[in-house]
Amino acid sequence: MSITKNLTQIKSQLPAHVTLVAVSKTKPVSDLMESYNAGQRIFGENKIQEMTEKWEQMPKDIEWHMIGHVQTNKVKFMAEYVSLIHGVDSLKLLQEINKQAKKHNRVIDCLLQIHIAEEETKFGLDEEELNHILTSEDYNSLENIRIVGLMGMATFTENQNQIEKEFNHLKTIFDKLNTIPFTQNLKPNILSMGMSGDYQLAISCGSTMVRIGSSIFGAR
């Protein structure tokens, strides 16, 4: 099947309130342009250098999402254009994003990454660390970032019950976050969970944003 057909099929299955991020890492610009011409405008990359090269070559109405783990020293390379940074897992990283956003007179939207998987290799905050950041004076002084939600990655397993449990855990944390009074830098309306293998389960658990790569572009 073609990229266009894959994309059309997936979009036809997504509820209206769910945003599709096409995970285009390692894929050539020609593949991205095929999905762009089929109407896709949000792309997710996991390497800042590769994302920047594609940003330079492609139409400027695209939203670029950084979905990989971010090193603080690389933030400056995407601060001019990135629309959403998914995997923010420390106050230090938030402060660097704020600093670089200020240079471009921008407010950069971020998702805080919550560790929900049983695998140690996955990054993320626990609930206590999340609350510590959101109640700190250092965080409240940041004027060039905005926390717009949470993201998390389930354990890589065939066990659907475990995945569902982890997604439900993240949804519970997200619901608690929505009971906190919103501020200029806290407006949580995005729950990003679910990828090619588990996005339908994620949506049933409350996801509002899914990251799909191989089901659109084929295996890497």
Side-chain angles (χ1 to χ4, degrees):
M1 282 180 79
S2 71
I3 290 169
T4 301
K5 281 182 181 168
N6 291 343
L7 191 61
T8 305
Q9 187 177 359
I10 288 166
K11 281 188 168 179
S12 71
Q13 298 168 355
L14 294 181
H17 69 278
V18 176
T19 301
L20 171 63
V21 180
V23 178
S24 49
K25 58 187 184 183
T26 76
K27 295 297 176 183
V29 167
S30 56
D31 283 6
L32 276 71
M33 282 307 302
E34 185 179 337
S35 57
Y36 176 90
N37 290 330
Q40 183 62 22
R41 291 294 181 274
I42 303 175
F43 294 93
E45 293 281 332
N46 71 337
K47 290 194 166 62
I48 293 172
Q49 185 179 350
E50 183 183 343
M51 182 170 72
T52 301
E53 287 168 4
K54 289 172 177 174
W55 168 70
E56 287 169 348
Q57 294 175 57
M58 292 183 65
K60 293 298 174 266
D61 62 338
I62 290 171
E63 274 189 34
W64 293 99
H65 289 203
M66 180 60 197
I67 61 171
H69 188 66
V70 180
Q71 295 169 294
T72 48
N73 63 341
K74 299 277 178 68
V75 173
K76 58 180 178 281
F77 298 115
M78 64 175 172
E80 180 183 350
Y81 68 89
V82 70
S83 290
L84 182 62
I85 301 175
H86 283 236
V88 179
D89 61 357
S90 70
L91 179 59
K92 182 184 168 194
L93 180 54
L94 273 178
Q95 289 170 320
E96 181 63 23
I97 295 166
N98 186 78
K99 176 180 154 188
Q100 298 301 333
K102 199 168 190 175
K103 290 180 184 175
H104 295 281
N105 199 26
R106 299 186 66 211
V107 174
I108 295 179
D109 287 343
C110 301
L111 300 177
L112 292 174
Q113 182 167 356
I114 307 300
H115 189 282
I116 55 171
E118 290 188 0
E119 298 154 315
E120 286 301 314
T121 52
K122 299 269 197 315
F123 294 97
L125 304 159
D126 62 27
E127 208 171 341
E128 192 179 327
E129 290 166 329
L130 170 69
N131 292 331
H132 181 71
I133 287 176
L134 295 179
T135 53
S136 70
E137 284 183 23
D138 287 338
Y139 162 74
N140 285 308
S141 69
L142 302 178
E143 295 181 346
N144 293 79
I145 57 100
R146 181 167 47 226
I147 303 301
V148 294
L150 303 178
M151 72 82 75
M153 296 166 71
T155 303
F156 188 67
T157 174
E158 296 294 317
N159 184 339
Q160 295 297 300
N161 290 334
Q162 183 179 346
I163 295 170
E164 185 174 11
K165 186 180 84 177
E166 290 167 359
F167 284 157
N168 283 330
H169 177 54
L170 184 56
K171 176 67 163 69
T172 302
I173 297 171
F174 179 71
D175 289 344
K176 282 186 198 166
L177 184 63
N178 271 281
T179 64
I180 299 172
F182 289 5
T183 61
Q184 64 170 16
N185 55 8
L186 179 66
K187 292 186 171 62
N189 62 349
I190 296 171
L191 181 56
S192 174
M193 58 185 190
M195 299 187 288
S196 284
D198 56 20
Y199 71 90
Q200 283 159 326
L201 179 57
I203 290 168
S204 72
C205 294
S207 175
T208 67
M209 181 175 279
V210 292
R211 308 179 300 276
I212 300 178
S214 54
S215 296
I216 298 172
F217 297 107
R220 274 186 275 288

